[in-house]
Amino acid sequence: MEGEPTLRLRIFNLNCWAIRYLSKRRQQRVRLIGDTLRQEGFDLVLLQEVWSEQDYSELKLKLAGCYPFSHYFRSGVIGSGLCVFSRFPILDTLLYQYSLNGYPYMLQHGDWFCGKSVGLVVMKISGIIFNVYVTHLHAEYCRDKDAYLPHRLVQAWELAQFIRHTSKAADVVLLGGDLNMHPEDVGIRLLRGWTGLQDAFAEAMHFEGCKNGCTLVPDNCFTDKSELLPFPLGIRIDYILYKAISSFTVKCEELKTTTGRAPGMDIPFSDHEAVMATLHIQRQGQPAGATLGTADPALADVVTEARTEVGAGLRAARQQRYSSGRMAVLALLLLLLQAAAALATLAGLGAEQPFPKLSFCLLAFLALGVLVLATGLHLFHTMEVKMLHGTEDQMWMVLRALQERPSEG
Amino acid sequence: MEGEPTLRLRIFNLNCWAIRYLSKRRQQRVRLIGDTLRQEGFDLVLLQEVWSEQDYSELKLKLAGCYPFSHYFRSGVIGSGLCVFSRFPILDTLLYQYSLNGYPYMLQHGDWFCGKSVGLVVMKISGIIFNVYVTHLHAEYCRDKDAYLPHRLVQAWELAQFIRHTSKAADVVLLGGDLNMHPEDVGIRLLRGWTGLQDAFAEAMHFEGCKNGCTLVPDNCFTDKSELLPFPLGIRIDYILYKAISSFTVKCEELKTTTGRAPGMDIPFSDHEAVMATLHIQRQGQPAGATLGTADPALADVVTEARTEVGAGLRAARQQRYSSGRMAVLALLLLLLQAAAALATLAGLGAEQPFPKLSFCLLAFLALGVLVLATGLHLFHTMEVKMLHGTEDQMWMVLRALQERPSEG
């Protein structure tokens, strides 16, 4: 680069709410998103909840001219829903599927089936290496009694660890996505503290959009108004985060959100608002660094807080593993008892058949069904315990390291 | 470092075959492994198939004096079985669980329940940053008709991608593990070609052990002789691989394997032989590099070959997804038919009850069972299709990049 010029990068991030058969006016909205992206000509587009590969293909076709490079991340039963469109070549990609993501039997929530993940695309723009991450964490269905908090914290931790380990050769790190966490939540503080990422909304020199940068607002006709009752302005759960790693600085010149409607239209892009950032990236004399180092004392507190929540999740998971295991054993005992009774009857030991045939069979089938389900649950919760325990251990290791060398980065 | 001194590193790698209740003489062997490790004083110990956390805890206790640093990687129902013991501090860890790992209904093989993964530990020894990876890929149960080849190839690919993306700040990369692939297999060629890792056995200046470096040999009293019939000398499936990334060189001074018995004992450590390498690491004037670049034309062929196998797996998975889906629909139709018949009888439409009650109930339960199982299978194979498709796509992207810039690294 000659004379330290500035690279200006315009980024678009949106949770598209494009669930086949379920999301309202999906096709119309996907068309609208495509049209807007084509007109606006961003440099980088990070999308979530593009569950249908057909929607992705249509977008890809429409955007081929202005965003010739793109990647769709496949995972889970339904898919990760994550994709990236870019004006610049994508050099490499990697997908990391979170180890915990809700429960398969919570069909009404369905997060488990999506295989929630973080996708990484590596790009080189004007000689600067960008690691761009796009993700979508587990939803929060009830803030007061959030059963998924431990899982979301494991995801936030794995996201932070994945970014730390994979971004060591990058000059600039960008993360866009629906994190399903409010700015002050422990998961966001953990992610930011442990990676050193900065919040584009907090750093923006100029902001335009919903008050407090909210991305789920009552003004949007697709949002569930009852869920937003405790938050009359809405909530902020979609983010663009960034940091410069080597000798670069990143500044957020401008941050915008849509305000309940697509610009100039009468319907919104989605039930979420789009977040649009204009970043300035400049080479500087000496490495930026020190972001992480200075945050260390607070970081130890955040990791401790997160570890406490993961520990609570671990205790709950152990309890569920125990209950399901006990249920499986009881069902097995019942089956064995029935088998013994049947054998005894066959051998002519009993004076007469002790039960009517039909009830006997129904009971056996019921016991078999319970056995299969309870065993499945037991296996699932065993995995859950393993992953929560592993995360708790990792956090403990980090805490010890932070306490041993509080001044290092 | 002053005057470019040499760092000498002794590494021990072993698949311990320590499955609770199933592996023969497990406790005795784990004690033996612990005693030997304590006596021999390696620098780094990479173990697989330590399925029981209790075995790990006992080893940790026994080895606390000579290997004060260790890490156990938790995942899956049973666990990943992976652990690391080290003379040097472990700075950081990360676990990546492979997206495909066999089938949950193949209970007799059981790989699915292990949550096969790759574990990373980061260490700094004499100022040199080491990324040490330990892994265990899906077993090969039938070499002639290997149903798990596509899954193992996806694992080899994900392993290579994980190493490439996480090792960019490392000076030296080490990988130890049971890869369940012969040295000439496409998966090994893919892994080595795409990461630039070198095979310690092939590079060793001095070798001592089983002929051809085999690690599953007929001389071992725990191996299944019938499985090794086509290979009278045994097979080599356990590896230590390495590469220097920045301005370092790594040389393998010596490679040893055990030869069917633990040294000086009458029983082996495991059904696998241990692999022990002595590496010399030295700083050099200019970066090593070029390992990947020169291998490019051959690499494209290897990626093409692997992609063909993954494609075959994808077709098979699609077929299974279709079959299980059809089965679920048929079971649902039968259930609906029965419900209609039952309703008709209740409403008094039928002259009399068409079936005996017992058979009717049994049939309904059977249909329900088939519906649940077939739906589960359908969901599982849908995920399998997603991951195989994703890998095929990624390989295609790499092939295109290799063809566009054949001379670059």
Side-chain angles (χ1 to χ4, degrees), chain A residues 51 53 70-80 90-97 99 112-113 120 122 131 158 161-162 164-169 194 357-358 361-362 365-366 372-373 378-380 382-387 389-390 393-394 397-398 401 405, chain B residues 51 53 70-80 90-97 99 112-113 120 122 131 158 161-162 164-169 194 357-358 361-362 365-366 372-373 378-380 382-387 389-390 393-394 397-398 401 405:
Chain A
W51 301 120
E53 277 201 50
S70 66
H71 191 78
Y72 187 72
F73 292 97
R74 289 186 183 83
S75 82
V77 178
I78 304 172
S80 73
I90 292 173
L91 302 182
D92 211 340
T93 67
L94 186 65
L95 181 79
Y96 181 98
Q97 202 169 331
S99 61
W112 186 85
F113 293 92
L120 158 64
V122 181
N131 267 30
E158 289 180 347
Q161 285 284 80
F162 182 72
R164 286 178 64 248
H165 280 280
T166 53
S167 65
K168 285 178 177 162
W194 191 221
K357 246 190 199 165
L358 183 64
C361 279
L362 283 181
F365 270 105
L366 193 71
V372 169
L373 283 180
H378 183 71
L379 293 180
F380 181 83
T382 303
M383 278 197 263
E384 190 189 10
V385 165
K386 281 246 180 320
M387 301 319 301
H389 195 177
D393 258 19
Q394 261 201 352
M397 212 174 89
V398 167
R405 44 192 171 89
Chain B
W51 302 119
E53 277 201 51
S70 65
H71 192 77
Y72 187 73
F73 291 98
R74 289 186 183 80
S75 82
V77 178
I78 304 172
S80 72
I90 291 172
L91 302 180
D92 211 341
T93 67
L94 187 65
L95 181 79
Y96 183 99
Q97 203 169 329
S99 62
W112 186 84
F113 293 92
L120 158 65
V122 182
N131 268 29
E158 288 179 348
Q161 284 286 80
F162 182 71
R164 286 179 63 249
H165 280 280
T166 53
S167 65
K168 284 178 179 162
W194 191 220
K357 246 189 200 168
L358 183 65
C361 279
L362 284 181
F365 270 105
L366 192 72
V372 169
L373 282 179
H378 182 71
L379 293 179
F380 182 84
T382 303
M383 278 197 264
E384 191 190 7
V385 165
K386 280 244 178 325
M387 300 320 301
H389 195 177
D393 259 18
Q394 260 202 352
M397 213 174 88
V398 167
R405 44 189 171 89

Side-chain angles (χ1 to χ4, degrees), chain A residues 148-166:
Chain A
Y148 298 111
L149 179 59
H151 284 209
R152 202 179 309 103
L153 277 175
V154 168
Q155 294 184 344
W157 177 255
E158 289 180 347
L159 173 59
Q161 285 284 80
F162 182 72
I163 292 176
R164 286 178 64 248
H165 280 280
T166 53

Side-chain angles (χ1 to χ4, degrees), chain A residues 110-121:
Chain A
D111 291 65
W112 186 85
F113 293 92
C114 308
K116 294 265 167 78
S117 310
V118 47
L120 158 64
V121 299

Side-chain angles (χ1 to χ4, degrees), chain A residues 275-292:
Chain A
V275 183
M276 295 156 282
T278 306
L279 301 182
H280 273 209
I281 295 118
Q282 193 160 27
R283 194 185 285 271
Q284 64 167 16
Q286 47 187 341
T291 330
L292 197 58

Side-chain angles (χ1 to χ4, degrees), chain B residues 107-378:
Chain B
L107 290 175
Q108 75 277 30
H109 292 162
D111 291 65
W112 186 84
F113 293 92
C114 307
K116 293 267 166 78
S117 310
V118 47
L120 158 65
V121 299
V122 182
M123 300 194 297
K124 199 171 185 173
I125 309 174
S126 305
I128 306 170
I129 296 173
F130 283 82
N131 268 29
V132 180
Y133 300 85
V134 57
T135 194
H136 186 186
L137 304 194
H138 197 293
E140 183 187 73
Y141 294 97
C142 171
R143 193 161 174 82
D144 293 332
K145 211 178 163 187
D146 182 12
Y148 298 111
L149 180 59
H151 284 210
R152 203 179 309 104
L153 278 175
V154 168
Q155 294 185 344
W157 177 255
E158 288 179 348
L159 172 60
Q161 284 286 80
F162 182 71
I163 292 176
R164 286 179 63 249
H165 280 280
T166 53
S167 65
K168 284 178 179 162
D171 297 313
V172 176
V173 172
L174 299 176
L175 166 62
D178 173 0
L179 302 181
N180 273 312
M181 300 186 285
H182 298 208
E184 70 283 7
D185 283 358
V186 57
I188 286 280
R189 286 181 282 131
L190 181 72
L191 172 66
R192 291 192 47 201
W194 191 220
T195 57
L197 283 164
Q198 293 183 286
D199 185 349
F201 172 74
E203 305 292 328
M205 289 181 266
H206 174 74
F207 174 74
E208 204 181 303
C210 298
K211 199 154 185 203
N212 298 341
C214 289
T215 58
L216 214 61
V217 295
D219 284 347
N220 185 308
C221 64
F222 295 130
T223 53
D224 184 343
K225 305 298 171 287
S226 65
E227 276 181 16
L228 289 176
L229 273 185
F231 308 99
L233 290 174
I235 56 177
R236 184 157 80 94
I237 57 175
D238 300 86
Y239 297 81
I240 291 176
L241 306 174
Y242 61 80
K243 76 165 172 174
I245 289 198
S246 50
S247 48
F248 288 86
T249 50
V250 184
K251 285 199 175 110
C252 182
E253 186 191 59
E254 186 182 61
L255 193 85
K256 283 186 183 182
T257 71
T258 49
T259 51
R261 285 171 193 211
M265 306 298 289
D266 61 343
I267 68 159
F269 288 135
S270 157
D271 60 346
H272 287 244
E273 303 306 316
V275 184
M276 295 157 283
T278 306
L279 301 182
H280 274 209
I281 295 117
Q282 193 160 26
R283 193 186 287 273
Q284 64 167 15
Q286 48 187 341
T291 330
L292 196 58
T294 53
D296 265 359
L299 179 58
D301 292 343
V302 175
V303 177
T304 306
E305 193 180 337
R307 195 168 169 266
T308 309
E309 292 292 350
V310 171
L314 179 58
R315 280 191 297 281
R318 278 192 175 129
Q319 180 58 42
Q320 284 172 304
R321 180 180 62 172
Y322 172 75
S323 308
S324 51
R326 191 182 50 183
M327 182 68 87
V329 169
L330 287 177
L332 185 67
L333 284 179
L334 181 59
L335 268 179
L336 291 176
L337 203 69
Q338 284 199 289
L343 280 175
T345 313
L346 280 176
L349 290 179
E352 57 188 84
Q353 208 173 319
F355 297 106
K357 246 189 200 168
L358 183 65
S359 320
F360 194 81
C361 279
L362 284 181
L363 191 64
F365 270 105
L366 192 72
L368 191 68
V370 170
L371 176 62
V372 169
L373 282 179
T375 306
L377 275 181
H378 182 71

